[in-house]
Amino acid sequence: QGASLTSSSGLTNDGTLFVDAADSSSTDVILAFSGDSTIAGSGSIVMSDDFDNLIRSTAAVLTNGAAHTIRGGGGILANSGGMINNGAIIADAEFNQLRLDPGVDGIVNNGVMRATGAAGMLLGSGNYTNNSTIEALDGSRVVLGSSANVIGGELTTAGSGFFELLSNSDLTGVTITTGSQV
């Protein structure tokens, strides 16, 4: 509880790293990266189903490696820095959204961004260059928050999954796959 871990030279994770805020806690649990950093390895970062989990890149770009997964609920970036996702970002929490909130560097998605849990995924204000797929699977949703701009790639839903666009969100050059719900 209330813990913070900062990496200044990236991270190789072939296991499971937990970012685990306590239920009902108002104290953030932060995994921070300073300077441009890469999360390499074949492991995963698992964020518990809590609003107070945070992965942050301070005024730099964080790269999620091709074989690496970030999953759970909480926040990524908190309006600071940017991200290149070459692996998987999965929102699978039941009660707390996985909130992506880039700074001026935005988020580039070359892998998969997927909502599978009932809480879903929120793409906060900022630019999302999508060179791949953003998915909302059965029982989940992806919300494009106010001033979220998705550029390129595909939006795909399955079953009851859907995309919700809030005011001033924008889709540019995006393919909505057959049968998907927006």
Side-chain angles (χ1 to χ4, degrees):
Q1 290 185 359
S4 178
L5 174 65
T6 300
S7 171
S8 59
S9 60
L11 173 69
T12 298
N13 178 23
D14 288 319
T16 304
L17 177 62
F18 292 96
V19 178
D20 191 10
D23 292 339
S24 306
S25 169
S26 61
T27 305
D28 291 345
V29 174
I30 301 170
L31 176 58
F33 295 86
S34 64
D36 290 345
S37 299
T38 297
I39 306 171
S42 59
S44 60
I45 296 173
V46 177
M47 301 167 74
S48 65
D49 192 351
D50 194 288
F51 182 85
D52 297 307
N53 295 315
L54 179 60
I55 297 173
R56 180 175 61 204
S57 178
T58 308
V61 175
L62 176 62
T63 300
N64 187 38
H68 195 266
T69 300
I70 298 171
R71 66 181 327 124
I76 296 177
L77 296 182
N79 196 27
S80 94
M83 178 175 246
I84 299 170
N85 176 43
N86 294 323
I89 298 174
I90 302 172
D92 59 2
E94 183 176 356
F95 301 108
N96 291 279
Q97 287 178 320
L98 184 58
R99 304 172 320 277
L100 284 74
D101 186 20
V104 297
D105 293 312
I107 292 178
V108 176
N109 180 39
N110 299 319
V112 66
M113 292 170 47
R114 176 183 301 134
T116 64
M121 179 182 288
L122 170 66
L123 304 183
S125 175
N127 291 321
Y128 299 82
T129 302
N130 183 28
N131 298 317
S132 186
T133 304
I134 303 173
E135 304 172 337
L137 299 186
D138 192 37
S140 193
R141 66 185 177 148
V142 175
V143 177
L144 276 67
S146 179
S147 299
N149 302 306
V150 176
I151 303 156
E154 293 184 346
L155 303 183
T156 300
T157 66
S160 63
F162 65 96
F163 284 84
E164 179 180 355
L165 281 66
L166 301 182
S167 67
N168 298 321
S169 57
D170 188 48
L171 302 176
T172 303
V174 171
T175 299
I176 299 170
T177 61
T178 302
S180 292
Q181 300 179 64
V182 178

